[in-house]
Amino acid sequence: MNKIFQIGLTAAAITAAMPAQATDFIVNTTSAGTGSPIAANGNVFNYTATTGKETLSVKATAWSLELDGSLKTAQLASFGTNGLGVYQQDERRDGAYHQIDNRNGWEFVVLQFSQDVTLLSGVLNAYQLVDRNYTDNDAYLGWNKLTGAWDQNLTATSLANIGQSIKSINTNGQGASTPNQTFNLASSAVGNIWVIGGSVDGPDGLNDAFKLAQLTVRTVSAVPEPATWAMMLVGFGMVAGAARYRRRKTGAVFA
């Protein structure tokens, strides 16, 4: 094989195997995105975030954990610039019942990403529940990695299975005064499926209620598998060998 061509192939293989650079994306959830009709439990909103020439796709669904322990699909609703809220099944549409909250059950949004991401920050607009005299927006953040297609359709059973190995934290919001929250997650907080809901056993024991207006996320560079590293090392060896060959040949010409 031509040595220059061989070097070109090896360099291309090495470049392809190198980890991708992390990229920050702003996922704007102040619209319904695209997807299934709004007025239905289990509806879907799809979003696309763009940074430069890179894109990130997001699939959002709504769920609730009822007081009897059952996991049910819920209705994801858009409230314009205020963000996304959730209606539990059979929940009233009048009054302040449309937030993501942890009152009379637990409501949450599931976000499926086309790449592994970590959450950097979010805009959680707090709203007062009808029977509370305060606002609070502590949030539960949970993450995991899906097996199979990132945008697969989840069921109560599959989501419950994912939840068995989910990792999570609670944020410490301060209600209406701090809709913008920086999450400061550990480097290990990485996944392509994230759960955002009112806090679970949160920092202050108050009920949380908010609408999700925005998320800033960062894609996470993939680390090559050991076999890939081995191929890269072999590739570097081939390049070095080809370079030595060229030096010897050049010396012979000018001797």
Side-chain angles (χ1 to χ4, degrees):
M1 180 185 291
N2 180 282
K3 292 294 182 180
I4 296 177
F5 181 62
Q6 186 180 53
I7 293 170
L9 286 178
T10 305
I14 292 170
T15 301
M18 293 295 285
Q21 295 298 311
T23 304
D24 292 355
F25 293 90
I26 295 176
V27 181
N28 181 359
T29 53
T30 58
S31 73
T34 61
S36 61
I38 294 176
N41 294 313
N43 62 324
V44 176
F45 290 168
N46 297 301
Y47 298 94
T48 300
T50 303
T51 298
K53 295 183 178 180
E54 297 188 52
T55 60
L56 178 71
S57 298
V58 188
K59 178 180 179 179
T61 52
W63 300 79
S64 67
L65 184 63
E66 304 295 314
L67 294 176
D68 63 3
S70 61
L71 186 61
K72 294 183 177 181
T73 57
Q75 179 188 328
L76 190 61
S78 172
F79 295 91
T81 57
N82 293 322
L84 299 178
V86 172
Y87 287 111
Q88 291 177 245
Q89 292 188 23
D90 302 320
E91 191 169 49
R92 290 170 54 183
R93 295 305 191 258
D94 60 325
Y97 293 96
H98 43 66
Q99 300 91 348
I100 300 168
D101 64 61
N102 53 8
R103 173 70 173 160
N104 295 324
W106 181 53
E107 300 166 355
F108 58 97
V109 173
V110 172
L111 300 168
Q112 297 163 242
F113 293 87
S114 57
Q115 300 181 52
D116 287 349
V117 300
T118 187
L119 301 193
L120 302 181
S121 63
V123 178
L124 283 58
N125 290 313
Y127 284 82
Q128 184 174 328
L129 292 166
V130 292
D131 54 354
R132 294 292 183 265
N133 61 358
Y134 59 81
T135 59
D136 201 19
N137 59 349
D138 304 330
Y140 169 98
L141 303 180
W143 61 92
N144 211 330
K145 294 193 177 185
L146 284 169
T147 300
W150 71 269
D151 58 350
Q152 62 189 265
N153 293 326
L154 299 174
T155 65
T157 299
S158 63
L159 186 57
N161 290 335
I162 293 167
Q164 291 178 8
S165 59
I166 203 166
K167 301 174 181 63
S168 65
I169 68 159
N170 285 305
T171 71
N172 190 2
Q174 299 298 320
S177 62
T178 57
N180 300 292
Q181 295 188 28
T182 301
F183 299 136
N184 296 319
L185 300 178
S187 59
S188 58
V190 175
N192 64 350
I193 182 168
W194 285 78
V195 171
I196 301 178
S199 68
V200 177
D201 297 325
D204 50 28
L206 301 177
N207 286 119
D208 307 293
F210 57 85
K211 295 187 179 77
L212 177 64
Q214 180 177 290
L215 284 173
T216 302
V217 307
R218 175 171 293 163
T219 58
V220 179
S221 300
V223 178
E225 297 293 331
T228 305
W229 281 119
M231 291 175 63
M232 290 169 65
L233 291 174
V234 169
F236 282 124
M238 290 171 65
V239 172
R244 287 195 297 271
Y245 169 83
R246 291 178 65 189
R247 281 198 299 270
R248 288 197 299 270
K249 184 174 180 180
T250 302
V253 170
F254 289 98

